[in-house]
Amino acid sequence: MKKIQKILVHEQVSQEIQNFIEEKELSEGDKLPSVEEMTQMFGVGRSSLREALRYLEAMDIIQVHNGKGIFVKDVNTFRFTGKVKIEREKNFLLSILEVRRALEGQSVALASKRITGKQIAEVEECLEEYRILKESNKDTSQVDLAFHRHIIKAANNPVLETVLDSISGLYEKFFNDPLGDKQLFDETYPFHITMFKGIAEHNTKTALEEFSKLMDCIEEKIKSAK
């Protein structure tokens, strides 16, 4: 049986805001309803709405001016079928990749020093599921995301984990149909194994070297995508 994919609230809200822009035929510079008005329009909480706004602002669709309001920045950024124009999304993913290198790289370094036996077993189980899905040519996006979350958890730094959680909507673009291909980054699988081996052996140098190779592979896949 195929697992039902979880749709996050802020993703739904961001799509509804895009639909609103299209339906109202808004142009660059037009003002959107206030935060209070949109929470009522979409029936969501302020935190979900603000995360959706941060996401859309990062994608250059809207611009938030404190004290003035929320404005349309570029109606051409998205195809309003919900897919990002290819070059826009590639540039966006590359920008977030730079953040991943810094924050997740620190998680890898810390995890290599702090990972517990129980956590090692959990990651091994995750990698086995990854292998089975990959060999069956099935969607590996969510198990890939789960692997990285395990490593972040193993770093045992609640502040770092909170920072990464705060950009979860942006971070998950790597796993939720990146560039229209859920298996785009399957070639990174071997580096998951070698990176984890370094972490499990508490070998920080090896873990970081393999993490860098994984990030380089992702970067190459993004740049070469058509």
Side-chain angles (χ1 to χ4, degrees):
M1 294 179 65
K2 186 175 181 180
K3 291 182 179 179
I4 297 173
Q5 297 297 316
K6 180 180 178 182
I7 301 176
L8 300 176
V9 174
H10 76 268
E11 292 178 343
Q12 294 177 303
V13 177
S14 66
Q15 185 60 56
E16 288 302 319
I17 293 172
Q18 294 168 58
N19 293 341
F20 179 85
I21 293 171
E22 182 183 30
E23 290 166 6
K24 298 297 182 180
E25 298 183 348
L26 301 182
S27 302
E28 183 176 351
D30 287 344
K31 190 175 183 179
L32 288 166
S34 68
V35 169
E36 292 295 339
E37 290 172 323
M38 283 196 279
T39 57
Q40 295 296 318
M41 287 169 56
F42 304 128
V44 296
R46 292 174 67 91
S47 61
S48 295
L49 180 65
R50 289 195 181 283
E51 188 167 0
L53 292 175
R54 282 197 296 269
Y55 174 78
L56 294 175
E57 190 168 29
M59 294 302 298
D60 281 340
I61 297 171
I62 65 167
Q63 194 162 22
V64 178
H65 293 288
N66 292 331
K68 294 183 179 180
I70 306 158
F71 299 86
V72 176
K73 187 173 182 181
D74 184 358
V75 293
N76 295 315
T77 301
F78 265 81
R79 295 188 185 100
F80 286 100
T81 57
K83 290 188 177 181
V84 186
K85 288 183 177 179
I86 190 73
E87 289 305 316
R88 288 277 189 175
E89 187 173 6
K90 284 168 71 171
N91 291 335
F92 172 67
L93 288 172
L94 289 171
S95 294
I96 297 300
L97 186 65
E98 293 176 353
V99 177
R100 283 190 67 182
R101 283 185 187 271
L103 296 181
E104 200 175 338
Q106 183 63 18
S107 294
V108 169
L110 292 174
S112 69
K113 300 171 184 175
R114 301 173 178 175
I115 195 167
T116 65
K118 180 182 177 182
Q119 289 171 329
I120 288 174
E122 290 172 346
V123 179
E124 288 174 339
E125 184 178 339
C126 183
L127 281 173
E128 176 61 12
E129 183 182 356
Y130 196 154
R131 181 189 67 79
I132 292 170
L133 289 172
K134 185 176 184 300
E135 290 179 357
S136 302
N137 199 34
K138 293 181 179 178
D139 177 13
T140 60
S141 59
Q142 293 308 301
V143 72
D144 192 351
L145 175 59
F147 169 85
H148 290 279
R149 289 200 180 282
H150 277 304
I151 302 304
I152 292 166
K153 193 76 175 175
N156 194 27
N157 184 308
V159 175
L160 182 57
E161 190 172 354
T162 298
V163 171
L164 282 162
D165 280 344
S166 72
I167 60 168
S168 61
L170 306 180
Y171 183 86
E172 288 169 13
K173 281 298 295 178
F174 282 91
F175 307 96
N176 295 332
D177 206 25
L179 298 168
D181 183 357
K182 286 183 178 295
Q183 294 167 289
L184 181 66
F185 302 128
D186 269 3
E187 289 180 21
T188 66
Y189 174 71
F191 301 120
H192 288 70
I193 296 173
T194 53
M195 183 182 81
F196 171 63
K197 185 173 184 293
I199 292 172
E201 294 176 351
H202 304 289
N203 187 328
T204 304
K205 182 174 181 294
T206 295
L208 286 174
E209 286 174 350
E210 297 307 306
F211 170 74
S212 182
K213 291 176 185 176
L214 192 157
M215 293 293 106
D216 289 344
C217 185
I218 291 176
E219 183 174 348
E220 180 56 34
K221 292 296 291 182
I222 293 171
K223 289 181 175 178
S224 62
K226 297 181 180 179

